[in-house]
Amino acid sequence: MNVVDASVALRWSIQDGYTPLAQELVSGDGMLVAPDLVVPEVTNALWKMRRSGLIGEEQANRALAEIPQAYTMLVPTSGLIRRAFSIAATLDHPAYDCFYLALSEELGAPLVTLDKRLHARTRSTPWETLTVLLGGGTVPV
């Protein structure tokens, strides 16, 4: 089981250098989970890309349909609020990202991310062993 954040989920539908690794993760046998926050985060990223002309309407719509379906389970953020806030305060890092860490901690599953800033923030903390950079470490598939 892996907790997969929006930075990785976006690469399931949008092509860049990380897409093959992200697609390998989603096509594996393991469970993929995320806080339901991943849906609005990916939606916002796709809107920004569409607005700037990086992707077309058809590609955005295809990604919007595919992303939620790729997850085995989307966990309501309502049950993660207090822990995400506590982690955000401890790391001095935006709470949005800390919802993924809270879920990762709760499940004892690695958080797979492309967010280098978040990964750096977790160094020398209890979340260091839970945070894995896609392409920068071993990710259980």
Side-chain angles (χ1 to χ4, degrees):
M1 176 184 312
N2 290 299
V3 175
V4 179
D5 74 2
S7 67
V8 174
L10 189 61
R11 272 49 179 217
W12 294 334
S13 301
I14 304 302
Q15 299 296 313
D16 73 5
Y18 292 103
T19 299
L21 292 170
Q23 288 177 341
E24 182 180 323
L25 184 64
V26 77
S27 66
D29 292 334
M31 291 178 57
L32 303 178
V33 299
D36 57 8
L37 171 67
V38 72
V39 175
E41 279 198 302
V42 169
T43 301
N44 194 61
L46 290 167
W47 168 76
K48 285 181 178 180
M49 294 175 84
R50 173 69 178 109
R51 185 172 185 242
S52 66
L54 295 173
I55 61 171
E57 186 78 21
E58 185 178 323
Q59 187 177 11
N61 285 328
R62 191 172 46 252
L64 290 169
E66 292 171 356
I67 298 296
Q69 300 304 316
Y71 285 96
T72 308
M73 179 174 51
L74 293 174
V75 177
T77 55
S78 58
L80 302 167
I81 292 171
R82 292 187 194 280
R83 189 62 186 145
F85 182 82
S86 176
I87 294 169
T90 300
L91 295 179
D92 191 26
H93 189 81
Y96 297 109
D97 295 335
C98 296
F99 277 92
Y100 296 95
L101 280 174
L103 181 59
S104 179
E105 179 182 75
E106 183 178 298
L107 298 175
L111 165 59
V112 183
T113 186
L114 282 167
D115 187 337
K116 292 177 183 173
R117 185 170 165 245
L118 173 62
H119 186 259
R121 284 279 194 201
T122 64
R123 286 195 192 115
S124 301
T125 73
W127 304 282
E128 180 176 20
T129 59
L130 288 175
T131 311
V132 178
L133 278 176
L134 183 68
T138 304
V139 178
V141 179

